[in-house]
PDB file of all heavy atoms in Angstrom:
ATOM      1  N   ARG B  91    -168.994 -55.272   8.787  1.00  0.00           N
ATOM      2  CA  ARG B  91    -168.486 -54.742   7.514  1.00  0.00           C
ATOM      3  C   ARG B  91    -169.327 -55.330   6.315  1.00  0.00           C
ATOM      4  O   ARG B  91    -169.612 -56.547   6.340  1.00  0.00           O
ATOM      5  CB  ARG B  91    -167.006 -55.194   7.295  1.00  0.00           C
ATOM      6  CG  ARG B  91    -166.067 -54.490   8.204  1.00  0.00           C
ATOM      7  CD  ARG B  91    -165.720 -53.108   7.662  1.00  0.00           C
ATOM      8  NE  ARG B  91    -164.524 -52.580   8.225  1.00  0.00           N
ATOM      9  CZ  ARG B  91    -164.485 -51.862   9.359  1.00  0.00           C
ATOM     10  NH1 ARG B  91    -165.621 -51.601   9.949  1.00  0.00           N
ATOM     11  NH2 ARG B  91    -163.342 -51.433   9.823  1.00  0.00           N
ATOM     12  N   TYR B  94    -167.704 -54.503   0.902  1.00  0.00           N
ATOM     13  CA  TYR B  94    -166.791 -53.492   0.383  1.00  0.00           C
ATOM     14  C   TYR B  94    -166.045 -52.746   1.412  1.00  0.00           C
ATOM     15  O   TYR B  94    -165.279 -51.840   1.222  1.00  0.00           O
ATOM     16  CB  TYR B  94    -167.557 -52.497  -0.506  1.00  0.00           C
ATOM     17  CG  TYR B  94    -168.549 -53.265  -1.373  1.00  0.00           C
ATOM     18  CD1 TYR B  94    -169.928 -53.196  -1.095  1.00  0.00           C
ATOM     19  CD2 TYR B  94    -168.121 -54.169  -2.334  1.00  0.00           C
ATOM     20  CE1 TYR B  94    -170.836 -53.943  -1.852  1.00  0.00           C
ATOM     21  CE2 TYR B  94    -169.014 -54.908  -3.056  1.00  0.00           C
ATOM     22  CZ  TYR B  94    -170.321 -54.799  -2.790  1.00  0.00           C
ATOM     23  OH  TYR B  94    -171.268 -55.567  -3.538  1.00  0.00           O
ATOM     24  N   GLY B  95    -166.331 -53.172   2.688  1.00  0.00           N
ATOM     25  CA  GLY B  95    -165.502 -52.659   3.835  1.00  0.00           C
ATOM     26  C   GLY B  95    -166.230 -51.572   4.649  1.00  0.00           C
ATOM     27  O   GLY B  95    -165.651 -51.118   5.612  1.00  0.00           O
ATOM     28  N   TYR B  96    -167.420 -51.167   4.212  1.00  0.00           N
ATOM     29  CA  TYR B  96    -168.052 -50.124   4.967  1.00  0.00           C
ATOM     30  C   TYR B  96    -168.954 -50.731   6.071  1.00  0.00           C
ATOM     31  O   TYR B  96    -169.535 -51.804   5.875  1.00  0.00           O
ATOM     32  CB  TYR B  96    -168.898 -49.219   4.016  1.00  0.00           C
ATOM     33  CG  TYR B  96    -168.004 -48.340   3.278  1.00  0.00           C
ATOM     34  CD1 TYR B  96    -167.744 -48.491   1.930  1.00  0.00           C
ATOM     35  CD2 TYR B  96    -167.265 -47.254   3.870  1.00  0.00           C
ATOM     36  CE1 TYR B  96    -166.905 -47.726   1.219  1.00  0.00           C
ATOM     37  CE2 TYR B  96    -166.384 -46.524   3.178  1.00  0.00           C
ATOM     38  CZ  TYR B  96    -166.196 -46.710   1.858  1.00  0.00           C
ATOM     39  OH  TYR B  96    -165.335 -45.873   1.184  1.00  0.00           O
ATOM     40  N   PRO B  97    -169.054 -50.042   7.174  1.00  0.00           N
ATOM     41  CA  PRO B  97    -169.884 -50.537   8.267  1.00  0.00           C
ATOM     42  C   PRO B  97    -171.358 -50.576   7.868  1.00  0.00           C
ATOM     43  O   PRO B  97    -171.800 -49.594   7.207  1.00  0.00           O
ATOM     44  CB  PRO B  97    -169.572 -49.607   9.399  1.00  0.00           C
ATOM     45  CG  PRO B  97    -169.043 -48.388   8.818  1.00  0.00           C
ATOM     46  CD  PRO B  97    -168.406 -48.774   7.582  1.00  0.00           C
ATOM     47  N   ARG B 337    -168.920 -55.450  -8.240  1.00  0.00           N
ATOM     48  CA  ARG B 337    -168.007 -54.690  -7.397  1.00  0.00           C
ATOM     49  C   ARG B 337    -166.913 -55.567  -6.788  1.00  0.00           C
ATOM     50  O   ARG B 337    -167.226 -56.683  -6.361  1.00  0.00           O
ATOM     51  CB  ARG B 337    -168.766 -53.965  -6.265  1.00  0.00           C
ATOM     52  CG  ARG B 337    -169.440 -52.712  -6.716  1.00  0.00           C
ATOM     53  CD  ARG B 337    -170.148 -52.079  -5.538  1.00  0.00           C
ATOM     54  NE  ARG B 337    -169.308 -51.319  -4.646  1.00  0.00           N
ATOM     55  CZ  ARG B 337    -169.680 -50.644  -3.559  1.00  0.00           C
ATOM     56  NH1 ARG B 337    -170.957 -50.711  -3.234  1.00  0.00           N
ATOM     57  NH2 ARG B 337    -168.856 -49.986  -2.805  1.00  0.00           N
ATOM     58  N   TYR B 341    -163.775 -57.773   1.714  1.00  0.00           N
ATOM     59  CA  TYR B 341    -163.770 -58.867   2.690  1.00  0.00           C
ATOM     60  C   TYR B 341    -164.555 -60.025   2.193  1.00  0.00           C
ATOM     61  O   TYR B 341    -165.598 -59.885   1.518  1.00  0.00           O
ATOM     62  CB  TYR B 341    -164.401 -58.288   4.015  1.00  0.00           C
ATOM     63  CG  TYR B 341    -163.607 -57.262   4.672  1.00  0.00           C
ATOM     64  CD1 TYR B 341    -163.933 -55.966   4.518  1.00  0.00           C
ATOM     65  CD2 TYR B 341    -162.572 -57.590   5.476  1.00  0.00           C
ATOM     66  CE1 TYR B 341    -163.227 -54.934   5.183  1.00  0.00           C
ATOM     67  CE2 TYR B 341    -161.787 -56.625   6.100  1.00  0.00           C
ATOM     68  CZ  TYR B 341    -162.134 -55.305   5.921  1.00  0.00           C
ATOM     69  OH  TYR B 341    -161.439 -54.349   6.551  1.00  0.00           O
ATOM     70  N   ARG B 362    -155.431 -57.165 -12.670  1.00  0.00           N
ATOM     71  CA  ARG B 362    -154.922 -55.801 -12.829  1.00  0.00           C
ATOM     72  C   ARG B 362    -155.484 -55.179 -14.129  1.00  0.00           C
ATOM     73  O   ARG B 362    -155.639 -55.908 -15.111  1.00  0.00           O
ATOM     74  CB  ARG B 362    -153.406 -55.789 -12.962  1.00  0.00           C
ATOM     75  CG  ARG B 362    -152.667 -56.228 -11.673  1.00  0.00           C
ATOM     76  CD  ARG B 362    -153.132 -55.429 -10.487  1.00  0.00           C
ATOM     77  NE  ARG B 362    -152.753 -54.012 -10.609  1.00  0.00           N
ATOM     78  CZ  ARG B 362    -151.649 -53.459 -10.049  1.00  0.00           C
ATOM     79  NH1 ARG B 362    -150.897 -54.183  -9.304  1.00  0.00           N
ATOM     80  NH2 ARG B 362    -151.468 -52.142 -10.189  1.00  0.00           N
ATOM     81  N   ARG B 363    -155.704 -53.929 -14.045  1.00  0.00           N
ATOM     82  CA  ARG B 363    -156.127 -53.218 -15.242  1.00  0.00           C
ATOM     83  C   ARG B 363    -154.873 -53.003 -16.073  1.00  0.00           C
ATOM     84  O   ARG B 363    -153.816 -52.795 -15.538  1.00  0.00           O
ATOM     85  CB  ARG B 363    -156.716 -51.841 -14.909  1.00  0.00           C
ATOM     86  CG  ARG B 363    -158.079 -51.879 -14.251  1.00  0.00           C
ATOM     87  CD  ARG B 363    -158.417 -50.456 -13.968  1.00  0.00           C
ATOM     88  NE  ARG B 363    -159.753 -50.384 -13.436  1.00  0.00           N
ATOM     89  CZ  ARG B 363    -160.347 -49.191 -13.073  1.00  0.00           C
ATOM     90  NH1 ARG B 363    -159.656 -48.131 -13.177  1.00  0.00           N
ATOM     91  NH2 ARG B 363    -161.493 -49.215 -12.542  1.00  0.00           N
ATOM     92  N   GLU B 393    -162.605 -35.509 -15.470  1.00  0.00           N
ATOM     93  CA  GLU B 393    -161.207 -35.418 -15.031  1.00  0.00           C
ATOM     94  C   GLU B 393    -160.889 -33.920 -14.643  1.00  0.00           C
ATOM     95  O   GLU B 393    -160.174 -33.639 -13.731  1.00  0.00           O
ATOM     96  CB  GLU B 393    -160.323 -35.889 -16.093  1.00  0.00           C
ATOM     97  CG  GLU B 393    -158.894 -36.172 -15.648  1.00  0.00           C
ATOM     98  CD  GLU B 393    -158.016 -36.907 -16.619  1.00  0.00           C
ATOM     99  OE1 GLU B 393    -158.618 -37.321 -17.670  1.00  0.00           O
ATOM    100  OE2 GLU B 393    -156.846 -37.015 -16.420  1.00  0.00           O
ATOM    101  N   ARG B 395    -163.146 -31.842 -13.641  1.00  0.00           N
ATOM    102  CA  ARG B 395    -164.173 -31.418 -12.705  1.00  0.00           C
ATOM    103  C   ARG B 395    -165.170 -30.424 -13.264  1.00  0.00           C
ATOM    104  O   ARG B 395    -165.629 -29.475 -12.595  1.00  0.00           O
ATOM    105  CB  ARG B 395    -163.535 -30.743 -11.434  1.00  0.00           C
ATOM    106  CG  ARG B 395    -162.656 -31.742 -10.689  1.00  0.00           C
ATOM    107  CD  ARG B 395    -161.767 -31.033  -9.732  1.00  0.00           C
ATOM    108  NE  ARG B 395    -160.519 -31.691  -9.567  1.00  0.00           N
ATOM    109  CZ  ARG B 395    -160.236 -32.585  -8.605  1.00  0.00           C
ATOM    110  NH1 ARG B 395    -161.097 -32.766  -7.658  1.00  0.00           N
ATOM    111  NH2 ARG B 395    -159.100 -33.177  -8.571  1.00  0.00           N
ATOM    112  N   TYR B 427    -164.241 -42.104 -14.035  1.00  0.00           N
ATOM    113  CA  TYR B 427    -164.521 -40.680 -14.100  1.00  0.00           C
ATOM    114  C   TYR B 427    -166.001 -40.457 -14.400  1.00  0.00           C
ATOM    115  O   TYR B 427    -166.595 -39.471 -13.873  1.00  0.00           O
ATOM    116  CB  TYR B 427    -163.698 -39.999 -15.232  1.00  0.00           C
ATOM    117  CG  TYR B 427    -162.300 -39.782 -14.878  1.00  0.00           C
ATOM    118  CD1 TYR B 427    -161.282 -40.359 -15.576  1.00  0.00           C
ATOM    119  CD2 TYR B 427    -161.945 -39.007 -13.756  1.00  0.00           C
ATOM    120  CE1 TYR B 427    -159.946 -40.157 -15.223  1.00  0.00           C
ATOM    121  CE2 TYR B 427    -160.641 -38.776 -13.376  1.00  0.00           C
ATOM    122  CZ  TYR B 427    -159.616 -39.357 -14.141  1.00  0.00           C
ATOM    123  OH  TYR B 427    -158.364 -39.151 -13.750  1.00  0.00           O
ATOM    124  N   ARG B 433    -172.077 -38.756  -9.739  1.00  0.00           N
ATOM    125  CA  ARG B 433    -172.358 -38.447  -8.396  1.00  0.00           C
ATOM    126  C   ARG B 433    -172.267 -36.939  -8.133  1.00  0.00           C
ATOM    127  O   ARG B 433    -173.105 -36.351  -7.449  1.00  0.00           O
ATOM    128  CB  ARG B 433    -171.323 -39.114  -7.452  1.00  0.00           C
ATOM    129  CG  ARG B 433    -171.689 -40.418  -6.936  1.00  0.00           C
ATOM    130  CD  ARG B 433    -170.981 -40.853  -5.683  1.00  0.00           C
ATOM    131  NE  ARG B 433    -169.668 -40.307  -5.517  1.00  0.00           N
ATOM    132  CZ  ARG B 433    -168.593 -40.825  -6.085  1.00  0.00           C
ATOM    133  NH1 ARG B 433    -168.639 -41.795  -6.919  1.00  0.00           N
ATOM    134  NH2 ARG B 433    -167.403 -40.268  -5.820  1.00  0.00           N
TER     135      ARG B 433
ATOM    136  N   ASP R 120    -156.479 -50.306  -7.538  1.00  0.00           N
ATOM    137  CA  ASP R 120    -156.093 -50.201  -8.925  1.00  0.00           C
ATOM    138  C   ASP R 120    -157.083 -49.329  -9.630  1.00  0.00           C
ATOM    139  O   ASP R 120    -158.212 -49.719  -9.906  1.00  0.00           O
ATOM    140  CB  ASP R 120    -156.080 -51.583  -9.527  1.00  0.00           C
ATOM    141  CG  ASP R 120    -155.453 -51.644 -10.923  1.00  0.00           C
ATOM    142  OD1 ASP R 120    -154.788 -50.646 -11.240  1.00  0.00           O
ATOM    143  OD2 ASP R 120    -155.641 -52.615 -11.602  1.00  0.00           O
ATOM    144  N   VAL R 122    -158.061 -44.829 -10.803  1.00  0.00           N
ATOM    145  CA  VAL R 122    -157.665 -43.431 -10.778  1.00  0.00           C
ATOM    146  C   VAL R 122    -157.294 -43.017  -9.371  1.00  0.00           C
ATOM    147  O   VAL R 122    -158.000 -43.284  -8.424  1.00  0.00           O
ATOM    148  CB  VAL R 122    -158.834 -42.539 -11.294  1.00  0.00           C
ATOM    149  CG1 VAL R 122    -158.400 -41.079 -11.268  1.00  0.00           C
ATOM    150  CG2 VAL R 122    -159.241 -42.969 -12.682  1.00  0.00           C
ATOM    151  N   ARG R 124    -157.605 -40.884  -7.109  1.00  0.00           N
ATOM    152  CA  ARG R 124    -158.371 -39.787  -6.522  1.00  0.00           C
ATOM    153  C   ARG R 124    -159.191 -40.369  -5.387  1.00  0.00           C
ATOM    154  O   ARG R 124    -159.874 -41.348  -5.593  1.00  0.00           O
ATOM    155  CB  ARG R 124    -159.269 -39.195  -7.568  1.00  0.00           C
ATOM    156  CG  ARG R 124    -158.773 -37.880  -8.090  1.00  0.00           C
ATOM    157  CD  ARG R 124    -159.885 -37.188  -8.803  1.00  0.00           C
ATOM    158  NE  ARG R 124    -159.435 -36.510  -9.947  1.00  0.00           N
ATOM    159  CZ  ARG R 124    -160.177 -35.851 -10.800  1.00  0.00           C
ATOM    160  NH1 ARG R 124    -161.517 -35.748 -10.547  1.00  0.00           N
ATOM    161  NH2 ARG R 124    -159.677 -35.218 -11.824  1.00  0.00           N
ATOM    162  N   SER R 126    -161.979 -39.318  -4.204  1.00  0.00           N
ATOM    163  CA  SER R 126    -163.429 -39.360  -4.549  1.00  0.00           C
ATOM    164  C   SER R 126    -163.788 -40.578  -5.321  1.00  0.00           C
ATOM    165  O   SER R 126    -164.939 -40.946  -5.385  1.00  0.00           O
ATOM    166  CB  SER R 126    -163.869 -38.089  -5.214  1.00  0.00           C
ATOM    167  OG  SER R 126    -163.009 -37.811  -6.245  1.00  0.00           O
ATOM    168  N   THR R 129    -163.076 -43.991  -2.864  1.00  0.00           N
ATOM    169  CA  THR R 129    -163.999 -44.194  -1.718  1.00  0.00           C
ATOM    170  C   THR R 129    -165.278 -44.945  -2.165  1.00  0.00           C
ATOM    171  O   THR R 129    -165.866 -45.653  -1.334  1.00  0.00           O
ATOM    172  CB  THR R 129    -164.319 -42.855  -1.058  1.00  0.00           C
ATOM    173  OG1 THR R 129    -164.952 -43.137   0.163  1.00  0.00           O
ATOM    174  CG2 THR R 129    -165.287 -42.036  -1.923  1.00  0.00           C
ATOM    175  N   VAL R 130    -165.601 -44.870  -3.448  1.00  0.00           N
ATOM    176  CA  VAL R 130    -166.792 -45.604  -3.910  1.00  0.00           C
ATOM    177  C   VAL R 130    -166.514 -47.070  -4.108  1.00  0.00           C
ATOM    178  O   VAL R 130    -167.377 -47.893  -4.007  1.00  0.00           O
ATOM    179  CB  VAL R 130    -167.307 -44.958  -5.231  1.00  0.00           C
ATOM    180  CG1 VAL R 130    -168.613 -45.552  -5.640  1.00  0.00           C
ATOM    181  CG2 VAL R 130    -167.458 -43.453  -5.034  1.00  0.00           C
ATOM    182  N   GLY R 132    -164.521 -49.004  -2.385  1.00  0.00           N
ATOM    183  CA  GLY R 132    -164.469 -49.768  -1.136  1.00  0.00           C
ATOM    184  C   GLY R 132    -163.759 -48.967  -0.088  1.00  0.00           C
ATOM    185  O   GLY R 132    -163.549 -47.726  -0.246  1.00  0.00           O
ATOM    186  N   GLU R 133    -163.437 -49.642   0.988  1.00  0.00           N
ATOM    187  CA  GLU R 133    -162.835 -48.882   2.107  1.00  0.00           C
ATOM    188  C   GLU R 133    -161.413 -48.432   1.860  1.00  0.00           C
ATOM    189  O   GLU R 133    -160.890 -47.649   2.581  1.00  0.00           O
ATOM    190  CB  GLU R 133    -162.929 -49.722   3.411  1.00  0.00           C
ATOM    191  CG  GLU R 133    -162.009 -50.920   3.374  1.00  0.00           C
ATOM    192  CD  GLU R 133    -161.947 -51.652   4.694  1.00  0.00           C
ATOM    193  OE1 GLU R 133    -162.603 -51.184   5.616  1.00  0.00           O
ATOM    194  OE2 GLU R 133    -161.256 -52.616   4.748  1.00  0.00           O
ATOM    195  N   PRO R 139    -162.372 -47.791   7.190  1.00  0.00           N
ATOM    196  CA  PRO R 139    -163.217 -47.176   6.224  1.00  0.00           C
ATOM    197  C   PRO R 139    -163.490 -45.704   6.524  1.00  0.00           C
ATOM    198  O   PRO R 139    -164.209 -45.069   5.792  1.00  0.00           O
ATOM    199  CB  PRO R 139    -164.531 -47.978   6.385  1.00  0.00           C
ATOM    200  CG  PRO R 139    -164.448 -48.510   7.752  1.00  0.00           C
ATOM    201  CD  PRO R 139    -163.045 -48.671   8.171  1.00  0.00           C
ATOM    202  N   TYR R 140    -162.865 -45.175   7.567  1.00  0.00           N
ATOM    203  CA  TYR R 140    -163.131 -43.785   7.984  1.00  0.00           C
ATOM    204  C   TYR R 140    -161.952 -42.832   7.608  1.00  0.00           C
ATOM    205  O   TYR R 140    -162.094 -41.648   7.567  1.00  0.00           O
ATOM    206  CB  TYR R 140    -163.416 -43.625   9.445  1.00  0.00           C
ATOM    207  CG  TYR R 140    -164.513 -44.542   9.932  1.00  0.00           C
ATOM    208  CD1 TYR R 140    -164.202 -45.796  10.513  1.00  0.00           C
ATOM    209  CD2 TYR R 140    -165.898 -44.146   9.855  1.00  0.00           C
ATOM    210  CE1 TYR R 140    -165.178 -46.659  10.949  1.00  0.00           C
ATOM    211  CE2 TYR R 140    -166.812 -45.047  10.292  1.00  0.00           C
ATOM    212  CZ  TYR R 140    -166.495 -46.287  10.878  1.00  0.00           C
ATOM    213  OH  TYR R 140    -167.451 -47.098  11.287  1.00  0.00           O
ATOM    214  N   GLU R 150    -155.623 -30.464  -4.141  1.00  0.00           N
ATOM    215  CA  GLU R 150    -156.025 -29.853  -5.359  1.00  0.00           C
ATOM    216  C   GLU R 150    -157.122 -28.808  -5.175  1.00  0.00           C
ATOM    217  O   GLU R 150    -157.210 -27.870  -5.947  1.00  0.00           O
ATOM    218  CB  GLU R 150    -156.547 -30.896  -6.342  1.00  0.00           C
ATOM    219  CG  GLU R 150    -155.449 -31.528  -7.213  1.00  0.00           C
ATOM    220  CD  GLU R 150    -156.032 -32.554  -8.161  1.00  0.00           C
ATOM    221  OE1 GLU R 150    -156.856 -32.160  -8.974  1.00  0.00           O
ATOM    222  OE2 GLU R 150    -155.581 -33.724  -8.026  1.00  0.00           O
ATOM    223  N   ARG R 185    -164.458 -38.317   2.670  1.00  0.00           N
ATOM    224  CA  ARG R 185    -164.682 -39.014   3.913  1.00  0.00           C
ATOM    225  C   ARG R 185    -164.817 -38.075   5.079  1.00  0.00           C
ATOM    226  O   ARG R 185    -164.874 -38.521   6.224  1.00  0.00           O
ATOM    227  CB  ARG R 185    -163.549 -40.001   4.196  1.00  0.00           C
ATOM    228  CG  ARG R 185    -163.589 -41.115   3.186  1.00  0.00           C
ATOM    229  CD  ARG R 185    -162.762 -42.250   3.549  1.00  0.00           C
ATOM    230  NE  ARG R 185    -163.176 -43.455   2.883  1.00  0.00           N
ATOM    231  CZ  ARG R 185    -162.551 -44.605   2.924  1.00  0.00           C
ATOM    232  NH1 ARG R 185    -161.422 -44.686   3.553  1.00  0.00           N
ATOM    233  NH2 ARG R 185    -163.030 -45.616   2.264  1.00  0.00           N
ATOM    234  N   ASP R 209    -165.517 -47.465  14.909  1.00  0.00           N
ATOM    235  CA  ASP R 209    -165.620 -48.870  15.132  1.00  0.00           C
ATOM    236  C   ASP R 209    -165.372 -49.151  16.621  1.00  0.00           C
ATOM    237  O   ASP R 209    -164.782 -48.341  17.311  1.00  0.00           O
ATOM    238  CB  ASP R 209    -164.567 -49.649  14.304  1.00  0.00           C
ATOM    239  CG  ASP R 209    -165.069 -49.869  12.934  1.00  0.00           C
ATOM    240  OD1 ASP R 209    -166.318 -49.911  12.706  1.00  0.00           O
ATOM    241  OD2 ASP R 209    -164.212 -50.005  11.995  1.00  0.00           O
TER     242      ASP R 209
END
Side-chain angles (χ1 to χ4, degrees):
Chain B
R91 288 279 197 272
Y94 319 109
Y96 286 108
R337 277 180 82 178
Y341 293 99
R362 295 304 299 261
R363 290 180 175 178
E393 194 170 352
R395 297 165 213 262
Y427 283 121
R433 270 204 330 281
Chain R
D120 188 17
V122 179
R124 256 198 218 178
S126 50
T129 193
V130 186
E133 68 174 357
Y140 308 95
E150 272 181 60
R185 291 195 159 171
D209 280 333

